[in-house]
Structure formats: C-alpha cells, structure tokens
Amino acid sequence: MTLSDEMLAHELPKILADMIGLHSDLRDLGARLASAENTLLELRSNLSHQRASRLRLAERADRIDARIIRIEEVLDADEQGRRPG
C-alpha cells in the first residue's frame, strides 16, 4: 500500500463523516429558517391586524370627537339663545 493509499484510507472516512455532519447541520439550518420564515409571516399578519384595528379605533375616535364637537356647538348656541347652524 502506498503512502497516498494509506492517506486516503485514513482521511476518506473522516471526510465522509464531516460531510454527513454538514448535511445534517444544513438540514437543521433549513428547518430553523423555515420556522423563522413562518414566524415572520405570522408577525406580518399580526402587524396587519394591529394596523387595521388601530385604523378602526382612530375612525371611532374621530366619530366620537365629531359628536362631542356637535354637542358643544349646540350647548354654546343654546347658551347664546340661538339655534345651532
């Protein structure tokens, strides 16, 4: 057996084991990336729902403000003895 044969016989199993380990690590990384992507999609969805809720709340607050302003106008007009316009 030549020196190169001995080297190959010694190193090839190590290389194969490293490649198997690398393959396993890459699979794990792929699974973690998929999980992270799902989490990101869920966060985006939640953010979208939060924005929609915030918009609805702002619209409701605007309607309440408009009613309060209208009541104040009526009260002011009533105090001055005139009909609100």
Side-chain angles (χ1 to χ4, degrees):
M1 186 181 255
T2 67
L3 184 58
S4 61
D5 290 339
E6 288 178 23
M7 185 175 166
L8 285 175
H10 181 70
E11 292 297 324
L12 282 179
K14 291 179 183 179
I15 291 171
L16 182 58
D18 286 344
M19 290 176 76
I20 290 170
L22 179 61
H23 180 264
S24 177
D25 290 347
L26 288 172
R27 249 192 355 227
D28 291 345
L29 178 59
R32 287 196 308 268
L33 286 173
S35 176
E37 182 179 16
N38 288 338
T39 300
L40 181 59
L41 290 173
E42 186 176 324
L43 288 171
R44 284 182 180 162
S45 175
N46 289 343
L47 180 59
S48 177
H49 290 301
Q50 292 287 339
R51 285 180 180 157
S53 293
R54 192 174 67 229
L55 238 166
R56 284 191 303 274
L57 289 173
E59 289 169 352
R60 288 173 71 188
D62 287 346
R63 287 194 303 271
I64 291 169
D65 284 345
R67 287 181 183 137
I68 291 170
I69 290 169
R70 180 68 180 139
I71 290 169
E72 289 172 341
E73 288 172 350
V74 169
L75 291 174
D76 287 345
D78 199 35
E79 283 178 1
Q80 296 175 9
R82 59 182 170 83
R83 301 294 281 159

